[in-house]
Amino acid sequence: MKKKLVFATNNAHKLEELKAILGDKVDILSLKDIDCYADIPETADTLEGNARQKSLYIYEHYGLDCFADDTGLEVDCLDGAPGVYSARYAGDGHDSKANMEKLLYEMKEKTNRKARFRTVISLIEKGEEHQFEGIVNGQIIKEKKGEAGFGYDPIFQPDGYAETFAELGNDIKNKISHRARAVAALCEYLSKT
Ligand code: ITT
């Protein structure tokens, strides 16, 4: 029988990505599936801390095996910003368009455009926490390109490609992304337990 894990996210795009990557190995339950409509707190100042806060919330309130991811875009010339604050870079609204505009503005004069997406997954299984990391390196381009994906995808061009994640589309993104890599590490762990 497949394992059941709750994915503690309010981001529908992430849920879709995870189901596409992991769906044949694990039964993924959404927060809706367990009737959880809470605004789960994310008040830590690291990706590791936020991922743990989200997964622990579900474990403590529902007693279910679960995982959460926290992802940040870390830009070299901005000393790693927006990082753990990626969702709220331009204000509280989780507004991707405003976030990208702010980032492009902050980087207007910058020649070093190196950046990376970093995902930390916190899994809680049988009351024990395990973390997994995934990183993809790339560049922030000067203007948005492409329609697929979400968040900062239209301005992030992964190394080895001439297109952004939003141009490459979900099939390619889900093979090479930060989240795909963190999930691969999660899968390897789950296959051994
Ligand atoms: P949950 O906390 O409910 O999972 P969130 O949207 O707040 O959803 P994060 O805090 O992990 O998710 O992500 C912070 C932001 O980083 C997110 O709002 C996006 O703008 C961006 N982001 C995360 N993953 C991304 C991806 O794969 N591609 C592009 N941008 C991404």
mmCIF file of all heavy atoms in Angstrom, residues 7-12 14 17 31 40 42 47 50 54 68-73 83-88 94-96 99 117-119 149-154 156 165 173 177-179, ligand 1:
data_model
loop_
_atom_site.group_PDB
_atom_site.id
_atom_site.type_symbol
_atom_site.label_atom_id
_atom_site.label_comp_id
_atom_site.label_asym_id
_atom_site.label_seq_id
_atom_site.Cartn_x
_atom_site.Cartn_y
_atom_site.Cartn_z
ATOM 1 N N PHE A 7 0.701 17.161 2.546
ATOM 2 C CA PHE A 7 1.629 18.217 2.116
ATOM 3 C C PHE A 7 1.084 19.540 2.659
ATOM 4 O O PHE A 7 0.041 20.019 2.232
ATOM 5 C CB PHE A 7 1.746 18.235 0.595
ATOM 6 C CG PHE A 7 2.743 19.246 0.068
ATOM 7 C CD1 PHE A 7 3.791 19.725 0.854
ATOM 8 C CD2 PHE A 7 2.651 19.703 -1.243
ATOM 9 C CE1 PHE A 7 4.717 20.649 0.365
ATOM 10 C CE2 PHE A 7 3.566 20.624 -1.757
ATOM 11 C CZ PHE A 7 4.592 21.097 -0.942
ATOM 12 N N ALA A 8 1.812 20.103 3.634
ATOM 13 C CA ALA A 8 1.349 21.302 4.341
ATOM 14 C C ALA A 8 1.689 22.558 3.540
ATOM 15 O O ALA A 8 2.665 23.246 3.822
ATOM 16 C CB ALA A 8 1.991 21.369 5.728
ATOM 17 N N THR A 9 0.894 22.813 2.515
ATOM 18 C CA THR A 9 1.093 24.035 1.742
ATOM 19 C C THR A 9 -0.252 24.667 1.400
ATOM 20 O O THR A 9 -1.240 23.958 1.221
ATOM 21 C CB THR A 9 1.852 23.758 0.428
ATOM 22 O OG1 THR A 9 2.067 25.000 -0.262
ATOM 23 C CG2 THR A 9 1.104 22.817 -0.503
ATOM 24 N N ASN A 10 -0.258 25.999 1.300
ATOM 25 C CA ASN A 10 -1.439 26.705 0.807
ATOM 26 C C ASN A 10 -1.230 27.140 -0.630
ATOM 27 O O ASN A 10 -2.035 27.877 -1.189
ATOM 28 C CB ASN A 10 -1.731 27.925 1.693
ATOM 29 C CG ASN A 10 -2.371 27.499 2.999
ATOM 30 O OD1 ASN A 10 -3.338 26.755 3.009
ATOM 31 N ND2 ASN A 10 -1.800 27.953 4.114
ATOM 32 N N ASN A 11 -0.117 26.701 -1.219
ATOM 33 C CA ASN A 11 0.213 27.112 -2.578
ATOM 34 C C ASN A 11 -0.203 25.996 -3.548
ATOM 35 O O ASN A 11 0.408 24.928 -3.594
ATOM 36 C CB ASN A 11 1.735 27.383 -2.625
ATOM 37 C CG ASN A 11 2.204 27.869 -3.974
ATOM 38 O OD1 ASN A 11 1.688 27.439 -4.999
ATOM 39 N ND2 ASN A 11 3.181 28.750 -3.972
ATOM 40 N N ALA A 12 -1.269 26.273 -4.326
ATOM 41 C CA ALA A 12 -1.838 25.250 -5.212
ATOM 42 C C ALA A 12 -0.831 24.801 -6.276
ATOM 43 O O ALA A 12 -0.829 23.637 -6.694
ATOM 44 C CB ALA A 12 -3.084 25.804 -5.882
ATOM 45 N N LYS A 14 2.441 24.523 -5.909
ATOM 46 C CA LYS A 14 3.369 23.565 -5.291
ATOM 47 C C LYS A 14 2.715 22.193 -5.163
ATOM 48 O O LYS A 14 3.345 21.176 -5.416
ATOM 49 C CB LYS A 14 3.734 24.028 -3.871
ATOM 50 C CG LYS A 14 4.748 25.114 -3.774
ATOM 51 C CD LYS A 14 5.103 25.206 -2.297
ATOM 52 C CE LYS A 14 5.990 26.345 -1.951
ATOM 53 N NZ LYS A 14 6.220 26.384 -0.491
ATOM 54 N N GLU A 17 2.769 20.530 -8.473
ATOM 55 C CA GLU A 17 4.126 20.079 -8.811
ATOM 56 C C GLU A 17 4.462 18.802 -8.061
ATOM 57 O O GLU A 17 4.982 17.852 -8.625
ATOM 58 C CB GLU A 17 5.163 21.154 -8.437
ATOM 59 C CG GLU A 17 5.294 22.250 -9.462
ATOM 60 C CD GLU A 17 6.493 23.163 -9.211
ATOM 61 O OE1 GLU A 17 7.366 22.855 -8.364
ATOM 62 O OE2 GLU A 17 6.558 24.195 -9.869
ATOM 63 N N LEU A 31 -4.116 20.095 2.360
ATOM 64 C CA LEU A 31 -4.686 20.623 3.603
ATOM 65 C C LEU A 31 -6.215 20.553 3.549
ATOM 66 O O LEU A 31 -6.868 20.246 4.537
ATOM 67 C CB LEU A 31 -4.204 22.050 3.844
ATOM 68 C CG LEU A 31 -2.707 22.169 4.148
ATOM 69 C CD1 LEU A 31 -2.299 23.631 4.290
ATOM 70 C CD2 LEU A 31 -2.345 21.416 5.425
ATOM 71 N N ILE A 40 -1.138 28.760 8.346
ATOM 72 C CA ILE A 40 -0.065 28.165 9.160
ATOM 73 C C ILE A 40 1.077 29.177 9.312
ATOM 74 O O ILE A 40 1.545 29.722 8.314
ATOM 75 C CB ILE A 40 0.439 26.860 8.504
ATOM 76 C CG1 ILE A 40 -0.735 25.886 8.353
ATOM 77 C CG2 ILE A 40 1.566 26.233 9.329
ATOM 78 C CD1 ILE A 40 -0.415 24.631 7.592
ATOM 79 N N GLU A 42 4.527 31.132 9.562
ATOM 80 C CA GLU A 42 5.872 30.991 8.961
ATOM 81 C C GLU A 42 6.680 32.160 9.473
ATOM 82 O O GLU A 42 6.836 33.150 8.776
ATOM 83 C CB GLU A 42 5.791 31.156 7.440
ATOM 84 C CG GLU A 42 5.387 29.952 6.672
ATOM 85 C CD GLU A 42 5.430 30.199 5.168
ATOM 86 O OE1 GLU A 42 6.513 30.374 4.602
ATOM 87 O OE2 GLU A 42 4.341 30.240 4.575
ATOM 88 N N LEU A 47 14.923 29.123 5.962
ATOM 89 C CA LEU A 47 14.049 28.179 5.245
ATOM 90 C C LEU A 47 13.850 26.928 6.083
ATOM 91 O O LEU A 47 12.744 26.380 6.160
ATOM 92 C CB LEU A 47 14.684 27.805 3.895
ATOM 93 C CG LEU A 47 14.916 28.941 2.890
ATOM 94 C CD1 LEU A 47 15.612 28.402 1.646
ATOM 95 C CD2 LEU A 47 13.598 29.611 2.503
ATOM 96 N N ASN A 50 11.282 27.618 8.865
ATOM 97 C CA ASN A 50 9.905 27.748 8.367
ATOM 98 C C ASN A 50 9.337 26.398 7.927
ATOM 99 O O ASN A 50 8.164 26.101 8.173
ATOM 100 C CB ASN A 50 9.837 28.701 7.175
ATOM 101 C CG ASN A 50 9.637 30.138 7.612
ATOM 102 O OD1 ASN A 50 9.264 30.402 8.752
ATOM 103 N ND2 ASN A 50 9.899 31.065 6.708
ATOM 104 N N LYS A 54 5.967 24.637 9.625
ATOM 105 C CA LYS A 54 4.765 24.233 8.888
ATOM 106 C C LYS A 54 4.455 22.752 9.101
ATOM 107 O O LYS A 54 3.310 22.371 9.335
ATOM 108 C CB LYS A 54 4.933 24.534 7.388
ATOM 109 C CG LYS A 54 4.945 26.018 7.064
ATOM 110 C CD LYS A 54 4.934 26.282 5.569
ATOM 111 C CE LYS A 54 6.282 26.607 5.005
ATOM 112 N NZ LYS A 54 6.267 27.044 3.600
ATOM 113 N N ALA A 68 6.435 19.598 4.647
ATOM 114 C CA ALA A 68 6.226 20.962 4.157
ATOM 115 C C ALA A 68 7.500 21.381 3.460
ATOM 116 O O ALA A 68 8.580 20.854 3.766
ATOM 117 C CB ALA A 68 5.949 21.902 5.327
ATOM 118 N N ASP A 69 7.394 22.291 2.512
ATOM 119 C CA ASP A 69 8.624 22.835 1.937
ATOM 120 C C ASP A 69 8.655 24.328 2.164
ATOM 121 O O ASP A 69 7.612 24.980 2.271
ATOM 122 C CB ASP A 69 8.775 22.448 0.453
ATOM 123 C CG ASP A 69 8.351 23.495 -0.572
ATOM 124 O OD1 ASP A 69 8.108 24.657 -0.228
ATOM 125 O OD2 ASP A 69 8.269 23.144 -1.753
ATOM 126 N N ASP A 70 9.851 24.866 2.292
ATOM 127 C CA ASP A 70 10.005 26.307 2.246
ATOM 128 C C ASP A 70 11.070 26.586 1.207
ATOM 129 O O ASP A 70 12.102 25.904 1.149
ATOM 130 C CB ASP A 70 10.393 26.889 3.608
ATOM 131 C CG ASP A 70 9.971 28.357 3.692
ATOM 132 O OD1 ASP A 70 8.821 28.663 3.331
ATOM 133 O OD2 ASP A 70 10.790 29.204 4.082
ATOM 134 N N THR A 71 10.777 27.547 0.351
ATOM 135 C CA THR A 71 11.661 27.825 -0.784
ATOM 136 C C THR A 71 12.011 29.290 -0.810
ATOM 137 O O THR A 71 11.164 30.139 -0.519
ATOM 138 C CB THR A 71 10.949 27.428 -2.101
ATOM 139 O OG1 THR A 71 10.721 26.023 -2.081
ATOM 140 C CG2 THR A 71 11.783 27.790 -3.319
ATOM 141 N N GLY A 72 13.243 29.583 -1.175
ATOM 142 C CA GLY A 72 13.640 30.974 -1.330
ATOM 143 C C GLY A 72 14.504 31.142 -2.563
ATOM 144 O O GLY A 72 15.184 30.207 -2.999
ATOM 145 N N LEU A 73 14.443 32.345 -3.123
ATOM 146 C CA LEU A 73 15.323 32.710 -4.234
ATOM 147 C C LEU A 73 16.458 33.523 -3.631
ATOM 148 O O LEU A 73 16.209 34.585 -3.037
ATOM 149 C CB LEU A 73 14.528 33.537 -5.252
ATOM 150 C CG LEU A 73 15.319 34.051 -6.445
ATOM 151 C CD1 LEU A 73 15.873 32.903 -7.290
ATOM 152 C CD2 LEU A 73 14.436 34.943 -7.334
ATOM 153 N N GLY A 83 15.575 35.522 -0.426
ATOM 154 C CA GLY A 83 15.747 34.381 0.469
ATOM 155 C C GLY A 83 14.459 33.947 1.153
ATOM 156 O O GLY A 83 13.426 33.739 0.512
ATOM 157 N N VAL A 84 14.543 33.861 2.482
ATOM 158 C CA VAL A 84 13.385 33.362 3.247
ATOM 159 C C VAL A 84 12.180 34.316 3.134
ATOM 160 O O VAL A 84 11.051 33.926 3.388
ATOM 161 C CB VAL A 84 13.804 33.111 4.716
ATOM 162 C CG1 VAL A 84 14.053 34.393 5.457
ATOM 163 C CG2 VAL A 84 12.788 32.240 5.454
ATOM 164 N N TYR A 85 12.423 35.536 2.672
ATOM 165 C CA TYR A 85 11.324 36.512 2.530
ATOM 166 C C TYR A 85 10.785 36.582 1.096
ATOM 167 O O TYR A 85 10.102 37.545 0.736
ATOM 168 C CB TYR A 85 11.788 37.905 3.005
ATOM 169 C CG TYR A 85 12.297 37.840 4.433
ATOM 170 C CD1 TYR A 85 13.652 37.976 4.727
ATOM 171 C CD2 TYR A 85 11.423 37.579 5.487
ATOM 172 C CE1 TYR A 85 14.125 37.860 6.039
ATOM 173 C CE2 TYR A 85 11.879 37.462 6.795
ATOM 174 C CZ TYR A 85 13.231 37.605 7.060
ATOM 175 O OH TYR A 85 13.683 37.467 8.349
ATOM 176 N N SER A 86 11.072 35.575 0.267
ATOM 177 C CA SER A 86 10.712 35.635 -1.159
ATOM 178 C C SER A 86 9.230 35.881 -1.405
ATOM 179 O O SER A 86 8.863 36.611 -2.329
ATOM 180 C CB SER A 86 11.126 34.345 -1.870
ATOM 181 O OG SER A 86 12.527 34.226 -1.861
ATOM 182 N N ALA A 87 8.350 35.284 -0.589
ATOM 183 C CA ALA A 87 6.911 35.438 -0.833
ATOM 184 C C ALA A 87 6.449 36.867 -0.574
ATOM 185 O O ALA A 87 5.507 37.345 -1.193
ATOM 186 C CB ALA A 87 6.111 34.473 0.046
ATOM 187 N N ARG A 88 7.141 37.550 0.357
ATOM 188 C CA ARG A 88 6.667 38.884 0.799
ATOM 189 C C ARG A 88 7.644 39.987 0.424
ATOM 190 O O ARG A 88 7.697 41.012 1.096
ATOM 191 C CB ARG A 88 6.502 38.870 2.324
ATOM 192 C CG ARG A 88 5.358 38.059 2.816
ATOM 193 C CD ARG A 88 5.523 37.693 4.271
ATOM 194 N NE ARG A 88 6.430 36.570 4.449
ATOM 195 C CZ ARG A 88 7.159 36.344 5.541
ATOM 196 N NH1 ARG A 88 7.126 37.175 6.549
ATOM 197 N NH2 ARG A 88 7.949 35.284 5.612
ATOM 198 N N HIS A 94 1.814 38.444 -1.138
ATOM 199 C CA HIS A 94 2.180 37.263 -1.929
ATOM 200 C C HIS A 94 1.941 37.542 -3.416
ATOM 201 O O HIS A 94 1.376 36.725 -4.126
ATOM 202 C CB HIS A 94 1.358 36.029 -1.522
ATOM 203 C CG HIS A 94 1.836 35.393 -0.252
ATOM 204 N ND1 HIS A 94 2.254 34.090 -0.158
ATOM 205 C CD2 HIS A 94 1.989 35.896 0.982
ATOM 206 C CE1 HIS A 94 2.615 33.825 1.073
ATOM 207 N NE2 HIS A 94 2.461 34.907 1.792
ATOM 208 N N ASP A 95 2.338 38.739 -3.863
ATOM 209 C CA ASP A 95 2.054 39.161 -5.233
ATOM 210 C C ASP A 95 3.301 38.949 -6.093
ATOM 211 O O ASP A 95 4.266 39.706 -6.019
ATOM 212 C CB ASP A 95 1.647 40.655 -5.176
ATOM 213 C CG ASP A 95 1.359 41.239 -6.541
ATOM 214 O OD1 ASP A 95 1.766 40.643 -7.564
ATOM 215 O OD2 ASP A 95 0.737 42.318 -6.588
ATOM 216 N N SER A 96 3.252 37.892 -6.930
ATOM 217 C CA SER A 96 4.445 37.516 -7.705
ATOM 218 C C SER A 96 4.883 38.602 -8.674
ATOM 219 O O SER A 96 6.079 38.821 -8.873
ATOM 220 C CB SER A 96 4.177 36.251 -8.524
ATOM 221 O OG SER A 96 3.977 35.178 -7.666
ATOM 222 N N ASN A 99 6.614 41.250 -6.717
ATOM 223 C CA ASN A 99 7.903 40.737 -6.240
ATOM 224 C C ASN A 99 8.946 40.759 -7.358
ATOM 225 O O ASN A 99 10.095 41.167 -7.151
ATOM 226 C CB ASN A 99 7.751 39.300 -5.729
ATOM 227 C CG ASN A 99 7.019 39.224 -4.401
ATOM 228 O OD1 ASN A 99 6.964 40.206 -3.660
ATOM 229 N ND2 ASN A 99 6.479 38.063 -4.080
ATOM 230 N N PHE A 117 17.621 28.943 -6.574
ATOM 231 C CA PHE A 117 16.448 28.579 -5.785
ATOM 232 C C PHE A 117 16.898 27.493 -4.820
ATOM 233 O O PHE A 117 17.597 26.552 -5.212
ATOM 234 C CB PHE A 117 15.348 27.969 -6.671
ATOM 235 C CG PHE A 117 14.412 28.958 -7.291
ATOM 236 C CD1 PHE A 117 14.356 29.099 -8.664
ATOM 237 C CD2 PHE A 117 13.566 29.728 -6.502
ATOM 238 C CE1 PHE A 117 13.467 29.995 -9.247
ATOM 239 C CE2 PHE A 117 12.674 30.625 -7.070
ATOM 240 C CZ PHE A 117 12.635 30.753 -8.448
ATOM 241 N N ARG A 118 16.486 27.642 -3.564
ATOM 242 C CA ARG A 118 16.813 26.605 -2.582
ATOM 243 C C ARG A 118 15.524 26.183 -1.886
ATOM 244 O O ARG A 118 14.761 27.032 -1.416
ATOM 245 C CB ARG A 118 17.816 27.157 -1.566
ATOM 246 C CG ARG A 118 18.384 26.065 -0.653
ATOM 247 C CD ARG A 118 19.655 26.558 0.009
ATOM 248 N NE ARG A 118 19.387 27.480 1.097
ATOM 249 C CZ ARG A 118 19.157 27.114 2.364
ATOM 250 N NH1 ARG A 118 19.173 25.838 2.695
ATOM 251 N NH2 ARG A 118 18.935 28.018 3.288
ATOM 252 N N THR A 119 15.293 24.883 -1.857
ATOM 253 C CA THR A 119 14.116 24.313 -1.182
ATOM 254 C C THR A 119 14.574 23.466 -0.012
ATOM 255 O O THR A 119 15.499 22.671 -0.163
ATOM 256 C CB THR A 119 13.331 23.393 -2.150
ATOM 257 O OG1 THR A 119 12.677 24.194 -3.126
ATOM 258 C CG2 THR A 119 12.264 22.576 -1.411
ATOM 259 N N GLY A 149 4.510 27.851 -14.868
ATOM 260 C CA GLY A 149 5.066 27.918 -13.519
ATOM 261 C C GLY A 149 4.397 28.965 -12.648
ATOM 262 O O GLY A 149 3.243 29.312 -12.847
ATOM 263 N N PHE A 150 5.164 29.511 -11.702
ATOM 264 C CA PHE A 150 4.609 30.501 -10.769
ATOM 265 C C PHE A 150 5.756 31.275 -10.132
ATOM 266 O O PHE A 150 6.927 31.038 -10.429
ATOM 267 C CB PHE A 150 3.744 29.807 -9.701
ATOM 268 C CG PHE A 150 4.524 28.944 -8.738
ATOM 269 C CD1 PHE A 150 4.889 29.431 -7.486
ATOM 270 C CD2 PHE A 150 4.892 27.660 -9.078
ATOM 271 C CE1 PHE A 150 5.597 28.632 -6.591
ATOM 272 C CE2 PHE A 150 5.605 26.852 -8.201
ATOM 273 C CZ PHE A 150 5.963 27.346 -6.958
ATOM 274 N N GLY A 151 5.388 32.191 -9.237
ATOM 275 C CA GLY A 151 6.409 32.934 -8.494
ATOM 276 C C GLY A 151 7.410 33.626 -9.414
ATOM 277 O O GLY A 151 7.028 34.321 -10.365
ATOM 278 N N TYR A 152 8.685 33.400 -9.152
ATOM 279 C CA TYR A 152 9.755 34.073 -9.896
ATOM 280 C C TYR A 152 10.152 33.326 -11.179
ATOM 281 O O TYR A 152 11.159 33.674 -11.809
ATOM 282 C CB TYR A 152 10.992 34.209 -8.994
ATOM 283 C CG TYR A 152 10.792 35.089 -7.773
ATOM 284 C CD1 TYR A 152 10.312 34.569 -6.569
ATOM 285 C CD2 TYR A 152 11.096 36.456 -7.804
ATOM 286 C CE1 TYR A 152 10.130 35.361 -5.440
ATOM 287 C CE2 TYR A 152 10.917 37.262 -6.683
ATOM 288 C CZ TYR A 152 10.432 36.704 -5.507
ATOM 289 O OH TYR A 152 10.261 37.497 -4.394
ATOM 290 N N ASP A 153 9.407 32.302 -11.573
ATOM 291 C CA ASP A 153 9.795 31.485 -12.733
ATOM 292 C C ASP A 153 10.063 32.294 -14.015
ATOM 293 O O ASP A 153 10.986 31.955 -14.758
ATOM 294 C CB ASP A 153 8.734 30.407 -13.021
ATOM 295 C CG ASP A 153 8.834 29.229 -12.064
ATOM 296 O OD1 ASP A 153 9.876 29.082 -11.391
ATOM 297 O OD2 ASP A 153 7.874 28.431 -11.994
ATOM 298 N N PRO A 154 9.291 33.372 -14.315
ATOM 299 C CA PRO A 154 9.534 34.096 -15.570
ATOM 300 C C PRO A 154 10.872 34.850 -15.631
ATOM 301 O O PRO A 154 11.279 35.279 -16.715
ATOM 302 C CB PRO A 154 8.358 35.097 -15.644
ATOM 303 C CG PRO A 154 7.300 34.503 -14.779
ATOM 304 C CD PRO A 154 8.026 33.812 -13.667
ATOM 305 N N PHE A 156 13.789 33.593 -13.926
ATOM 306 C CA PHE A 156 14.882 32.707 -13.507
ATOM 307 C C PHE A 156 15.246 31.746 -14.633
ATOM 308 O O PHE A 156 14.417 30.946 -15.079
ATOM 309 C CB PHE A 156 14.487 31.900 -12.264
ATOM 310 C CG PHE A 156 15.606 31.022 -11.757
ATOM 311 C CD1 PHE A 156 16.580 31.535 -10.911
ATOM 312 C CD2 PHE A 156 15.701 29.689 -12.148
ATOM 313 C CE1 PHE A 156 17.632 30.728 -10.462
ATOM 314 C CE2 PHE A 156 16.736 28.885 -11.695
ATOM 315 C CZ PHE A 156 17.698 29.406 -10.854
ATOM 316 N N PHE A 165 12.421 29.179 -16.415
ATOM 317 C CA PHE A 165 11.538 28.095 -15.968
ATOM 318 C C PHE A 165 10.149 28.274 -16.581
ATOM 319 O O PHE A 165 9.489 27.295 -16.933
ATOM 320 C CB PHE A 165 11.409 28.102 -14.438
ATOM 321 C CG PHE A 165 12.406 27.218 -13.721
ATOM 322 C CD1 PHE A 165 12.716 27.462 -12.383
ATOM 323 C CD2 PHE A 165 13.000 26.134 -14.345
ATOM 324 C CE1 PHE A 165 13.602 26.648 -11.691
ATOM 325 C CE2 PHE A 165 13.902 25.308 -13.663
ATOM 326 C CZ PHE A 165 14.194 25.569 -12.336
ATOM 327 N N LYS A 173 10.817 21.704 -15.827
ATOM 328 C CA LYS A 173 11.050 22.256 -14.482
ATOM 329 C C LYS A 173 10.997 21.142 -13.425
ATOM 330 O O LYS A 173 11.864 21.070 -12.549
ATOM 331 C CB LYS A 173 10.019 23.344 -14.156
ATOM 332 C CG LYS A 173 10.248 23.967 -12.778
ATOM 333 C CD LYS A 173 9.192 24.976 -12.357
ATOM 334 C CE LYS A 173 9.429 25.403 -10.914
ATOM 335 N NZ LYS A 173 8.330 26.143 -10.309
ATOM 336 N N SER A 177 14.332 21.095 -11.117
ATOM 337 C CA SER A 177 14.192 22.223 -10.183
ATOM 338 C C SER A 177 14.704 21.894 -8.779
ATOM 339 O O SER A 177 14.889 20.733 -8.412
ATOM 340 C CB SER A 177 12.724 22.653 -10.089
ATOM 341 O OG SER A 177 12.017 21.757 -9.259
ATOM 342 N N HIS A 178 14.924 22.959 -8.000
ATOM 343 C CA HIS A 178 15.179 22.899 -6.564
ATOM 344 C C HIS A 178 14.210 21.938 -5.869
ATOM 345 O O HIS A 178 14.599 21.066 -5.118
ATOM 346 C CB HIS A 178 15.031 24.323 -6.008
ATOM 347 C CG HIS A 178 13.811 25.046 -6.536
ATOM 348 N ND1 HIS A 178 13.637 25.302 -7.875
ATOM 349 C CD2 HIS A 178 12.694 25.494 -5.935
ATOM 350 C CE1 HIS A 178 12.477 25.886 -8.064
ATOM 351 N NE2 HIS A 178 11.884 26.023 -6.889
ATOM 352 N N ARG A 179 12.897 22.093 -6.160
ATOM 353 C CA ARG A 179 11.898 21.272 -5.477
ATOM 354 C C ARG A 179 12.037 19.813 -5.923
ATOM 355 O O ARG A 179 11.970 18.909 -5.095
ATOM 356 C CB ARG A 179 10.481 21.819 -5.763
ATOM 357 C CG ARG A 179 9.418 21.223 -4.845
ATOM 358 C CD ARG A 179 8.120 22.012 -4.842
ATOM 359 N NE ARG A 179 8.292 23.348 -4.298
ATOM 360 C CZ ARG A 179 8.341 24.449 -5.028
ATOM 361 N NH1 ARG A 179 8.182 24.403 -6.333
ATOM 362 N NH2 ARG A 179 8.550 25.621 -4.468
HETATM 363 P P1 ITT B 1 3.391 27.711 1.424
HETATM 364 O O1 ITT B 1 4.227 28.357 2.478
HETATM 365 O O2 ITT B 1 1.931 27.642 1.778
HETATM 366 O O3 ITT B 1 3.920 26.357 1.003
HETATM 367 P P2 ITT B 1 4.308 29.928 -0.243
HETATM 368 O O4 ITT B 1 3.833 30.393 -1.586
HETATM 369 O O5 ITT B 1 4.277 30.891 0.902
HETATM 370 O O6 ITT B 1 3.465 28.592 0.079
HETATM 371 P P3 ITT B 1 7.224 29.597 0.102
HETATM 372 O O7 ITT B 1 7.191 30.420 1.324
HETATM 373 O O8 ITT B 1 7.959 28.306 0.134
HETATM 374 O O9 ITT B 1 5.727 29.298 -0.426
HETATM 375 O O10 ITT B 1 7.812 30.336 -1.151
HETATM 376 C C1 ITT B 1 8.171 31.655 -1.136
HETATM 377 C C2 ITT B 1 7.971 32.282 -2.485
HETATM 378 O O11 ITT B 1 9.051 31.872 -3.324
HETATM 379 C C3 ITT B 1 6.700 31.888 -3.247
HETATM 380 O O12 ITT B 1 5.600 32.677 -2.889
HETATM 381 C C4 ITT B 1 7.127 32.155 -4.677
HETATM 382 O O13 ITT B 1 7.008 33.513 -4.978
HETATM 383 C C5 ITT B 1 8.603 31.782 -4.637
HETATM 384 N N1 ITT B 1 8.778 30.405 -5.116
HETATM 385 C C6 ITT B 1 8.740 29.269 -4.367
HETATM 386 N N2 ITT B 1 8.936 28.199 -5.168
HETATM 387 C C7 ITT B 1 9.082 28.680 -6.430
HETATM 388 C C8 ITT B 1 9.269 28.086 -7.694
HETATM 389 O O14 ITT B 1 9.350 26.781 -7.855
HETATM 390 N N3 ITT B 1 9.379 28.883 -8.761
HETATM 391 C C9 ITT B 1 9.299 30.214 -8.639
HETATM 392 N N4 ITT B 1 9.091 30.864 -7.502
HETATM 393 C C10 ITT B 1 8.982 30.098 -6.395
#
